[in-house]
Amino acid sequence: MTTQTPPLAYVVAGSEATGGAGIQVDLKTFQQLGVYGVGTLTCIVSFDPKNDWGHRFVPVDPQVIADQFEAATATHDLDVVKIGMLGTPATIDVVGKALASKPWRHVVLDPVLICKGQEPGAALDTDNALREQVLPQATVVTPNLFEAKTLAGMDTIESVEDLVEAARKIHARLDTSAGPRYVVAKGGVELPGPDAVDVLFDGEDVTVYAAPKVGEERVSGAGCTFAAAITAELAKGADVKAAVQTAKDMVTQGIQARVTASTPFATVWQGAFAG
Ligand code: PXL
């Protein structure tokens, strides 16, 4: 018997029933990186194969989210958390309050803004609630191109320079009074150029991460894997710069080894990452 406990990481996110995104991906990523995962479910997404794989979305009752948070935090000493899909203003409210109820070493926010199953009006409420109640508590935020445009209030992002500008604008919305804050803006396949480029802005310096694009198709679960890998590495004691590099390597290898499925997008294989 060993008494050594593994590093722990916590995730508050939604279920995506095919296994290609959401909390399923987060927990697989944690495990692959040697981190014990603890999870709280915010919503259940079930794609509809009869309706063009549209999103069917069911929120978890806010009290049940609060109960899960209570169980998780009473059981384990958790100081690093990833926030994934929240989905409704009521969910954002309960998660925002729960986060604020205890101190964290790191809060990694994957700002999943819209779910295709939602009404545009509801999505706008959700965007605003996320910006006001959760974004200020984040230490690391990982917007993709669309989320970076929305959070930065920019019409277009067409170059690495634009991506850096978006990261700077989003950084200005973070609460830097409690310590350093980081924005990792992801260019992905949609940013023109041969490389998949991500930029990290820490309030002073910009670090650019680039790897040749693996095809031109978007792959499901890349954003979830990326933020979860950063979370796991931070739980293990890595600094943010190193955590982002490991996350980028894991996503690149996971896309090279992608799992094809009946869904419109292939998905990342977290098990391909050798470290
Ligand atoms: O990849 C974004 C995402 C995150 N979380 C859940 C999802 C999705 C996209 O479908 O369903 C639960």
Side-chain angles (χ1 to χ4, degrees):
M1 203 181 90
T2 170
T3 53
Q4 210 182 6
T5 49
L8 301 177
Y10 183 32
V11 55
V12 177
S15 165
E16 191 278 86
T18 73
I23 204 162
Q24 288 86 344
V25 160
D26 297 318
L27 294 174
K28 283 183 266 193
T29 302
F30 289 175
Q31 186 76 16
Q32 187 68 18
L33 292 170
V35 171
Y36 181 98
V38 178
T40 283
L41 206 62
T42 56
C43 61
I44 301 173
V45 172
S46 316
F47 298 156
D48 185 353
K50 302 182 299 305
N51 185 21
D52 217 8
W53 302 95
H55 286 205
R56 294 177 291 200
F57 169 84
V58 179
V60 170
D61 184 283
Q63 185 57 49
V64 178
I65 297 173
D67 292 349
Q68 294 174 79
F69 187 91
E70 184 182 21
T73 54
T75 303
H76 300 291
D77 204 359
L78 301 167
D79 67 353
V80 176
V81 59
K82 173 190 159 172
I83 307 298
M85 185 168 167
L86 298 175
T88 72
T91 302
I92 290 167
D93 191 54
V94 70
V95 171
K97 289 193 172 101
L99 279 178
S101 72
K102 72 179 253 25
W104 301 95
R105 191 160 56 85
H106 273 292
V107 175
V108 179
L109 173 64
D110 187 11
V112 181
L113 283 184
I114 50 161
C115 173
K116 287 177 200 117
Q118 287 182 287
E119 298 294 320
L124 194 64
D125 283 1
T126 306
D127 292 4
N128 291 336
L130 190 77
R131 220 188 324 249
E132 283 159 25
Q133 291 172 258
V134 178
L135 189 61
Q137 299 190 59
T139 60
V140 182
V141 195
T142 64
N144 64 19
L145 216 54
F146 170 77
E147 292 153 356
K149 274 190 278 194
T150 308
L151 292 175
M154 290 167 67
D155 290 334
T156 56
I157 296 179
E158 287 169 347
S159 64
V160 176
E161 292 69 36
D162 292 349
L163 201 58
V164 171
E165 189 188 334
R168 286 180 184 277
K169 289 195 151 117
I170 296 166
H171 194 277
R173 292 179 176 273
L174 303 179
D175 177 9
T176 49
S177 65
R181 298 290 183 260
Y182 303 84
V183 177
V184 194
K186 304 173 289 183
V189 290
E190 282 160 2
L191 192 72
D195 290 343
V197 177
D198 305 311
V199 302
L200 169 66
F201 182 60
D202 64 6
E204 283 180 19
D205 297 324
V206 174
T207 308
V208 177
Y209 300 82
K213 285 179 182 169
V214 186
E216 287 287 334
E217 295 283 317
R218 289 185 71 182
V219 173
S220 157
C224 300
T225 305
F226 186 74
I230 292 172
T231 308
E233 290 301 302
L234 293 173
K236 284 154 70 175
D239 64 26
V240 174
K241 237 177 173 174
V244 171
Q245 184 64 60
T246 302
K248 175 116 181 129
D249 294 344
M250 184 169 191
V251 170
T252 304
Q253 290 180 30
I255 291 174
Q256 281 161 346
R258 66 183 79 179
V259 179
T260 50
S262 307
T263 42
F265 299 114
T267 80
V268 174
W269 169 223
Q270 291 76 26
F273 183 63

